[in-house]
C-alpha cells in the first residue's frame, strides 16, 4: 500500500526512527515492519508497482509503524504510478488554543459533505503513560509496606537490645534515629543495586517488546536515563526506607525499659 503526501508538513504525525522524510520524486519512507518483512534498510532500492506501472525508488527513512504493507512517498511519485489519483483526506493543523470540535462543526456548516475527524491527544500514549505511573505508585507503596514489615520484625527481635540501650541512658530520640538510620543504610544499598539492575532490565525487555510487534523505537523514546533521574531514583529508595521505618521506630522508642526486657 502506497500513501502519497504533499503540503507544507507532509510528515504529519509520522515518527521517523532513522533517515529523513521524502524531498523529491523516487523516494519513500517505509515502516519498520515493512523493512523487516522484506529484509531492507534505509538506503536500499525497491520497485513500486501499481497496476501495470512501475517506478524505481530509494528508501530514505524508516517510520515507527506496525503496518508491514505501507510505504509513504511524495505526491509526484504517487501520481507517476497512478496519474488519476485524487486526494482522499486533508490534515489541518490548528493553533494551540483552537477547539478541534468547534472547527469541525464550523466546517460541516460550510459544506455538509465534509466529514472532519478531530484528533486530540494520543489516547493510546496517555493510557500507557498513566498505567506506568499507576504501576510505579503501587510498587512504591508495596516497597514501603515491605520496609515497614521488615522494621517491625527487626524491632521485635531487638527488644532486649533496645532495653539494654535505654537502661544505660539512650533517649527515645536516639532510639528512633538509630532504627531509621539502619533502614536508610539498607535503602541506600538497595538503590545502589536496584538502579543498575532496573536499567539492565529495561534495556533487555523494551527492545524485545518492540521486536514482538515488529517496530523499532526511536532513540528519544529509549534513551530516557539522565543523571538527575537516576539520582532521584536512588534518593527515592532511601526515602521509602526512612518513611517505612519511622512509625515502628517511634513505637520502639516509646517502650519502657521493663517492657523491652520482659521475656515473651
Amino acid at each position: 500500500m502506497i500513501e502519497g503526501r504533499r503540503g507544507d508538513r507532509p510528515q504529519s504525525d509520522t515518527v521517523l526512527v532513522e533517515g529523513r522524510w521524502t524531498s523529491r520524486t523516487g523516494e519513500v519512507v517505509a515502516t519498520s515492519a515493512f523493512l523487516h518483512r522484506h529484509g531492507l534498510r534505509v538506503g536500499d532500492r525497491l520497485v513500486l508497482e501499481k497496476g501495470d506501472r512501475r517506478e524505481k525508488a530509494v528508501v530514505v527513512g524508516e517510520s515507527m509503524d506496525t503496518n508491514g504493507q505501507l510505504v509513504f512517498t511524495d505526491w509526484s511519485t504517487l501520481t507517476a504510478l497512478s496519474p488519476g489519483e485524487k486526494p482522499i483526506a486533508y490534515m489541518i493543523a490548528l493553533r494551540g488554543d483552537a477547539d478541534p470540535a468547534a472547527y469541525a462543526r464550523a466546517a460541516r456548516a460550510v459544506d455538509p459533505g465534509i466529514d472532519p475527524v478531530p484528533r486530540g491527544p494520543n489516547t493510546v500514549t496517555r493510557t500507557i503513560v498513566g498505567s506506568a505511573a499507576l504501576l510505579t505508585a503501587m510498587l512504591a507503596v508495596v516497597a514501603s509496606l515491605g520496609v515497614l514489615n521488615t522494621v517491625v520484625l527487626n524491632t521485635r527481635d531487638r527488644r532486649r537490645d533496645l532495653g539494654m540501650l535505654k537502661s544505660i541512658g539512650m533517649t527515645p530520640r536516639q532510639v528512633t534515629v538509630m532504627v531509621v538510620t539502619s533502614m536508610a543504610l539498607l535503602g541506600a544499598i538497595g538503590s545502589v543495586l536496584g538502579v543498575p539492575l532496573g536499567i539492565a532490565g529495561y534495556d533487555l525487555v523494551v527492545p524485545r517488546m518492540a521486536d514482538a510487534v515488529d517496530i523499532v523505537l526511536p532513540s528519544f523514546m529509549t534513551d530516557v536515563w539522565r543523571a538527575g533521574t537516576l539520582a532521584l531514583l536512588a534518593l527515592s529508595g532511601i526515602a521509602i526506607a526512612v518513611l517505612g521505618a519511622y512509625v515502628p521506630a517511634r513505637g520502639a522508642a516509646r517502650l519502657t525499659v521493663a517492657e523491652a526486657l520482659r521475656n515473651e
Side-chain angles (χ1 to χ4, degrees), residues 92 94-111 114-120:
I92 300 173
L94 303 179
R95 294 195 307 267
D97 58 346
D99 183 359
Y103 175 83
R105 290 193 298 268
R108 292 191 189 97
V110 173
D111 186 350
I114 296 177
D115 184 24
V117 180
R119 286 188 178 183

Side-chain angles (χ1 to χ4, degrees), residues 128-255:
I128 293 174
V129 172
S131 300
L134 179 60
L135 179 60
T136 302
M138 292 175 62
L139 289 175
V141 171
V142 171
S144 299
L145 292 176
V147 172
L148 178 65
N149 181 66
T150 300
V151 177
V152 169
L153 295 177
N154 187 45
T155 303
R156 288 184 178 275
D157 289 340
R158 298 170 59 189
R159 286 173 69 114
R160 295 185 62 83
D161 296 336
L162 293 175
M164 293 295 295
L165 293 173
K166 294 190 72 173
S167 69
I168 60 176
M170 180 173 279
T171 65
R173 181 186 297 272
Q174 291 173 329
V175 172
T176 302
V177 172
M178 181 188 68
V179 176
V180 170
T181 302
S182 64
M183 289 299 105
L185 178 60
L186 292 178
I189 295 173
S191 296
V192 170
L193 296 176
V195 170
L197 289 175
I199 295 175
Y202 175 88
D203 292 338
L204 180 67
V205 172
V206 171
R208 283 163 175 74
M209 292 175 62
D211 290 341
V213 293
D214 233 0
I215 64 172
V216 175
L217 297 176
S219 59
F220 73 87
M221 289 187 178
T222 55
D223 298 339
V224 297
W225 305 111
R226 303 291 183 270
T229 303
L230 297 177
L232 182 61
L233 288 173
L235 291 175
S236 297
I238 299 174
I240 290 173
V242 170
L243 293 175
Y246 182 75
V247 173
R250 290 291 296 172
R254 294 192 185 98
L255 290 174

Side-chain angles (χ1 to χ4, degrees), residues 15-192:
V15 177
L16 286 181
V17 176
E18 184 182 354
R20 59 175 175 83
W21 192 253
T22 58
S23 60
R24 60 177 66 91
T25 303
E27 296 181 341
V28 299
V29 172
T31 64
S32 299
F34 180 91
L35 295 178
H36 290 172
R37 180 172 297 181
H38 297 282
L40 298 173
R41 298 181 301 174
V42 173
D44 289 346
R45 297 184 177 274
L46 50 78
V47 176
L48 303 176
E49 295 184 0
K50 189 171 179 65
D52 58 350
R53 292 179 177 268
R54 293 186 176 186
E55 288 289 330
K56 294 181 179 180
V58 58
V59 180
V60 297
E62 177 182 355
S63 69
M64 188 183 70
D65 199 298
T66 58
N67 190 336
Q69 299 179 339
L70 177 63
V71 295
F72 305 96
T73 187
D74 64 353
W75 192 252
S76 60
T77 304
L78 180 62
T79 53
L81 285 169
S82 179
E85 200 70 40
K86 300 295 182 183
I88 60 173
Y90 291 90
M91 297 182 181
I92 300 173
L94 303 179
R95 294 195 307 267
D97 58 346
D99 183 359
Y103 175 83
R105 290 193 298 268
R108 292 191 189 97
V110 173
D111 186 350
I114 296 177
D115 184 24
V117 180
R119 286 188 178 183
N122 192 316
T123 55
V124 175
T125 301
R126 293 178 65 181
T127 300
I128 293 174
V129 172
S131 300
L134 179 60
L135 179 60
T136 302
M138 292 175 62
L139 289 175
V141 171
V142 171
S144 299
L145 292 176
V147 172
L148 178 65
N149 181 66
T150 300
V151 177
V152 169
L153 295 177
N154 187 45
T155 303
R156 288 184 178 275
D157 289 340
R158 298 170 59 189
R159 286 173 69 114
R160 295 185 62 83
D161 296 336
L162 293 175
M164 293 295 295
L165 293 173
K166 294 190 72 173
S167 69
I168 60 176
M170 180 173 279
T171 65
R173 181 186 297 272
Q174 291 173 329
V175 172
T176 302
V177 172
M178 181 188 68
V179 176
V180 170
T181 302
S182 64
M183 289 299 105
L185 178 60
L186 292 178
I189 295 173
S191 296
V192 170

